[in-house]
Amino acid sequence: AGLSTGLEMRLDISHSGRTADYKTMNGSLSASWTILDWLVPAIRVERAQTNFNDKSYIAWQYVAGIEFFPIPFVEIRPEVRVVKTDEYLLAQPTVQLHIFY
């Protein structure tokens, strides 16, 4: 839900079950704010849960970045991503390049 020039919020949820012993439940909550047509800060929280053989594995991701359009049809998206599981905590900066045609 949101406006084309302003705040946008999105909630995505998915569930799958391949077998009786393997099921997943994933969700994502994100928000972005269009400051200018070419500058959009965005944040996202994701949770993934896999249940397999009576064990549950959960991962969280926290992402903050900017959607930057320097020229039409080209997007540069610098982000900082934090991934947290029971086994580790990882923080990683990334840059994505999207070219639309």
Side-chain angles (χ1 to χ4, degrees):
L3 305 169
S4 62
T5 56
L7 178 66
E8 175 198 8
M9 296 190 72
R10 180 176 297 169
L11 174 64
D12 298 307
I13 297 174
S14 67
H15 177 268
S16 69
R18 294 184 194 169
T19 65
D21 293 338
Y22 187 93
K23 295 187 185 329
T24 64
M25 175 66 88
N26 303 318
S28 173
L29 178 62
S30 62
S32 64
W33 182 266
T34 303
I35 295 173
L36 300 167
D37 288 341
W38 52 271
L39 185 64
V40 183
I43 58 172
R44 185 171 69 246
V45 176
E46 300 175 348
R47 182 182 185 272
Q49 179 174 346
T50 300
N51 296 318
F52 181 62
N53 288 337
D54 296 326
K55 292 185 181 178
S56 183
Y57 305 93
I58 298 174
W60 286 87
Q61 290 194 88
Y62 307 93
V63 182
I66 295 176
E67 300 169 9
F68 174 62
F69 297 86
I71 58 175
F73 307 108
V74 175
E75 176 188 9
I76 299 171
R77 188 181 292 192
E79 295 180 333
V80 174
R81 178 180 304 266
V82 176
V83 180
K84 182 183 181 308
T85 70
D86 290 338
E87 289 81 30
Y88 63 88
L89 176 66
L90 170 71
Q92 165 181 346
T94 62
V95 177
Q96 298 176 32
L97 172 64
H98 298 232
I99 299 173
F100 304 94
Y101 60 93

